């Protein structure tokens, strides 16, 4: 090969690298070692990954003063380039408001829907939550089930637990203990705290499965390891029943876990529950009224 040909090959390779044909994630990895100011410079010239990085810095207050307003601005820039994660994160910010950013539930629901329609399973779960609780949209249990199902079928564990609750209580769909059990089982298999707690409740009550206090305690225990407060109360209560001790006084209600929308089930003592059919929803599973922030 002639010297001119070698130079031509080198030029082509250099052009490929400069043109951005790099392994996936290489840009994000290279940003990790940069200072905030360097990321900011890249963000200002339109680098999408840098815009996301700067937004996250502002959102959590890492290496810069926390500002949801600034975080929202940079997520918006990344969203305008087609970044679906940015759309979801912007939705969460306007959902919460604060730090100078005005809360706008209608806009949050619109952003969740836009991200959900682009395939974000987390946004699909949030949109289902909005329809269930009438957050920024008119409450509609059927629409809630529709979006929970899309997210659940995409493998998102919190949505699997949420859909299980809809089947358990017959909201937006025909009541089915078997379907509820199946979705709780899928969620629990991924280590989701609410899925584990809910599956424990099914074993404790004997719904769609043979009643088994040992298995119930096992799943409550696993849920406790995730930090689930309701599971901790359930474990203490059922342990006392099994061992013949007086029922413990439930711990004071803790703030909801700050990670995603998830109802907070807490089965009533077994003696107060019918053996085969769950009573009305409000006496078994009470969805929380809080909106929660993903970690």
């Amino acid at each position: 090969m002639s010297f001119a040909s070698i130079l031509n090959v080198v030029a082509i390779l250099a052009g490929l690298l400069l043109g951005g044909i790099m392994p996936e994630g290489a840009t994000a990895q290279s940003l990790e070692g940069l200072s905030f100011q360097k990321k900011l410079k890249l963000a200002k010239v339109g680098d999408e990954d840098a815009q996301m990085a700067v937004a996250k810095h502002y959102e959590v207050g890492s290496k810069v003063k926390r500002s949801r307003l600034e975080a929202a601005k940079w997520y918006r820039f990344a969203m305008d380039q087609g970044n679906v994660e940015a759309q979801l994160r912007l939705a969460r910010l306007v959902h919460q408001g604060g730090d100078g950013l005005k809360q706008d539930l209608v806009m949050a629901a619109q952003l969740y829907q836009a991200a959900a329609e682009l395939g974000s399973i987390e946004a699909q779960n949030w949109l289902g939550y909005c329809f269930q609780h009438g957050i920024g949209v008119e409450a509609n249990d059927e629409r809630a089930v529709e979006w929970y199902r899309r997210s659940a079928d995409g493998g998102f564990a919190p949505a699997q637990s949420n859909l299980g609750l809809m089947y358990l209580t017959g909201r937006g769909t025909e009541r089915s203990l078997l379907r509820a059990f199946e979705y709780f089982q899928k969620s629990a298999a991924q280590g989701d705290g609410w899925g584990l707690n809910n599956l424990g409740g099914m074993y404790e009550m004997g719904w769609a499965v043979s009643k088994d206090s040992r298995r119930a305690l096992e799943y409550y225990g696993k849920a406790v390891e995730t930090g689930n407060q309701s599971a901790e109360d359930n474990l203490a209560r059922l342990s006392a029943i099994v061992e013949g001790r007086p029922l413990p006084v439930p711990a004071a209600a803790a703030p909801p876990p700050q990670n995603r929308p998830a109802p907070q089930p807490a089965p009533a003592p077994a003696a107060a529950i019918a053996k085969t059919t769950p009573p009305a929803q409000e006496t078994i599973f009470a969805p929380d009224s809080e909106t929660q922030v993903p970690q």
Side-chain angles (χ1 to χ4, degrees), residues 29 32 35 68 108 118 136-137 145 154 160 177-178 181 187 216 233 239 244-245 257 259:
Q29 291 175 0
E32 291 179 4
S35 68
R68 289 184 176 178
L118 288 172
V137 293
V145 167
Q160 292 167 342
L177 299 183
L178 179 59
F181 180 86
S187 179
D233 293 339
S239 295
R245 295 183 283 104
N259 57 355

Side-chain angles (χ1 to χ4, degrees), residues 124-145:
Q124 290 166 353
N125 183 53
W126 269 109
L127 185 57
Y129 189 77
C130 287
F131 275 115
Q132 182 182 356
H133 298 286
I135 299 172
V137 293
E138 184 176 349
N140 186 317
D141 285 342
E142 288 76 17
R143 296 294 303 279
V145 167

